[in-house]
Amino acid sequence: MRDSLVPRRSFLLLVAALFACAKPSTMPSDLSPNPSPAADPVAIEQDFRAEAAVTREGRMQRLEDAALPLLRHGTALCGDEVPHYGFRYASLDEYEDAAERDAYSKLFGVLRQPTVIGVTRGGAAERAGLRPGDAIVALDGRRVSPAGAGLDEIFRRLRFGMAGRSVLVRRGEADVPLEITPEPACDFPLELSSSGEINAAAWGRTITVNTGLMRFIESDRWLQFVIAHEMAHNTMRHLDQMIERTKLDEMRGYVRDAVEEAAGGVKPLGKFSQDQECEADYVGMYYLARAGIDTHGVAGLWRRMAAENPDGIPRRSNATHPSYPDRFLHLEAVHDEIVRKLEAGDLLFPADSVACRY
């Protein structure tokens, strides 16, 4: 599946309703089918794959809808923008499992020809009239190959340049010409992980959000804060800093580090530090504010996290994240700082240095 951050014919009513819902889909606690002895195992597997496909695409749609305002309005902070088109596309050849392939064909109208499976709300593709189920047959007058070759062609052609693109799509039996003009956005592609852990991660450019987190967070504003927090990690080059720190620790000797870590004397390798986490909270709040998202009450996420994970409440010297009460109070203070700037008519830019000592 491809996302056009760089970049059937109709959905089933169930899919349309799911994609329009602002709250996350709820994955059943046990997705294993519970058939009667006479049930057809092939039909059961097909139903399971169809349910999983709808749930996965619904979560991905929610994630991209939530992220677009942050990516669109955050370019002054991230400093690295690309053309954003706002649609996802796939080919049947991507799905090796026959039941999954059948589900994407029936539910989303996916063909071997690259087919649109999601359109970001408020994005360039939606404004141009692109719809889920549209098969992309040509870009700028050049035919698009079927299967994986076509997916790569679309990615390459949409990646560079802010100029508009003429797109020819097959919609039902008709060929429909469209003109899509991208908008500049931060170059932070989003990925959805199947992990049930309540977590997200920043990889220097890409951002991964776990399914467990999507199930846990009901508020889209809280989800946007998590995305903004990970965008801030990338903006502040925290991964590069962590790698450098890891190299230094390796040079000092694995054995000594292992002993000290076991005694609680050092932070585990491969984790952002408390200062980096605090800085990402701070800069992330500015990403929210610049996107016009109210930062009031965002800190409530940490109260919810504290209820889910009481281990985050105490202050521990070897913790990689500040305790939940610390983070709550810090975010409340950042909200007050942003409000003062808005009232004074000041530009919404974070300070060069952040006081992250609690």
Side-chain angles (χ1 to χ4, degrees):
M1 183 192 313
R2 301 300 173 94
D3 187 314
S4 67
L5 169 67
V6 291
R8 147 173 100 174
R9 312 329 183 204
S10 64
F11 276 116
L12 297 181
L13 290 178
L14 170 64
V15 179
L18 187 152
F19 276 21
C21 183
K23 292 187 177 181
S25 308
T26 303
M27 181 75 80
S29 57
D30 181 8
L31 289 179
S32 302
N34 187 22
S36 63
D40 179 2
V42 174
I44 293 167
E45 181 63 18
Q46 289 175 333
D47 289 344
F48 168 73
R49 295 290 182 175
E51 181 180 359
V54 169
T55 303
R56 180 168 58 248
E57 294 307 324
R59 288 188 177 127
M60 194 67 215
Q61 187 71 41
R62 180 188 177 217
L63 184 62
E64 294 186 341
D65 288 348
L68 179 56
L70 300 166
L71 298 171
R72 171 192 287 152
H73 296 288
T75 54
L77 297 183
C78 67
D80 186 14
E81 61 187 48
V82 293
H84 191 290
Y85 289 85
F87 67 94
R88 299 191 314 284
Y89 49 97
S91 164
L92 279 186
D93 286 25
E94 288 189 90
Y95 308 105
E96 296 182 1
D97 181 86
E100 186 175 30
R101 194 162 53 245
D102 184 66
Y104 272 86
S105 173
K106 290 181 178 178
L107 292 175
F108 304 109
V110 177
L111 309 170
R112 290 193 72 240
Q113 192 71 24
T115 307
V116 177
I117 59 174
V119 177
T120 308
R121 186 173 62 243
E126 184 183 69
R127 291 193 298 273
L130 198 66
R131 301 177 188 174
D134 287 345
I136 303 173
V137 295
L139 273 176
D140 295 330
R142 295 173 57 188
R143 304 294 293 184
V144 172
S145 304
L151 300 179
D152 290 339
E153 288 171 19
I154 295 172
F155 179 85
R156 287 195 304 270
R157 295 189 205 173
L158 298 186
R159 174 69 182 177
F160 301 104
M162 291 292 179
R165 292 284 186 268
S166 62
V167 182
L168 183 67
V169 301
R170 184 163 300 125
R171 185 177 294 167
E173 299 301 322
D175 284 347
V176 180
L178 301 172
E179 293 290 332
I180 303 181
T181 301
E183 57 187 323
C186 291
D187 189 13
F188 296 143
L190 293 158
E191 299 173 347
L192 179 65
S193 165
S194 61
S195 170
E197 183 182 2
I198 302 174
N199 205 358
W203 305 101
R205 191 172 76 89
T206 59
I207 292 170
T208 301
V209 178
N210 290 352
T211 293
L213 183 73
M214 297 287 290
R215 288 201 300 256
F216 177 75
I217 295 182
E218 296 180 354
S219 163
D220 279 348
R221 194 155 55 101
W222 283 357
L223 175 60
Q224 287 173 318
F225 171 65
V226 170
I227 297 170
H229 175 91
E230 302 304 332
M231 289 173 63
H233 273 310
N234 288 344
T235 300
M236 307 309 291
R237 304 290 189 263
H238 286 166
L239 182 65
D240 292 341
Q241 295 170 15
M242 186 190 72
I243 291 172
E244 288 303 315
R245 187 181 73 235
T246 301
K247 290 178 180 177
L248 288 174
D249 287 337
E250 289 174 349
M251 291 172 62
R252 293 173 186 145
Y254 288 105
V255 175
R256 188 204 62 192
D257 284 351
V259 172
E260 289 182 354
E261 183 177 330
V266 297
K267 294 182 287 291
L269 300 180
K271 301 289 185 181
F272 293 131
S273 69
Q274 285 201 24
D275 283 352
Q276 288 173 324
E277 292 293 343
C278 176
E279 190 174 42
D281 278 351
Y282 177 70
V283 175
M285 288 284 277
Y286 275 86
Y287 269 117
L288 287 179
R290 292 183 67 89
I293 299 166
D294 186 5
T295 56
H296 176 68
V298 169
L301 171 63
W302 301 123
R303 284 181 172 167
R304 177 106 196 267
M305 290 291 287
E308 179 72 16
N309 179 23
D311 289 342
I313 296 176
R315 292 177 173 84
R316 294 174 289 121
S317 60
N318 65 332
T320 58
H321 288 61
S323 69
Y324 295 139
D326 288 340
R327 297 187 83 170
F328 179 89
L329 295 173
H330 176 59
L331 288 177
E332 290 285 273
V334 179
H335 166 72
D336 292 340
E337 176 182 306
I338 289 172
V339 169
R340 288 194 297 271
K341 289 185 177 181
L342 288 171
E343 291 175 346
D346 295 338
L347 295 176
L348 288 178
F349 282 95
D352 292 335
S353 60
V354 185
C356 289
R357 298 289 186 267
Y358 300 98

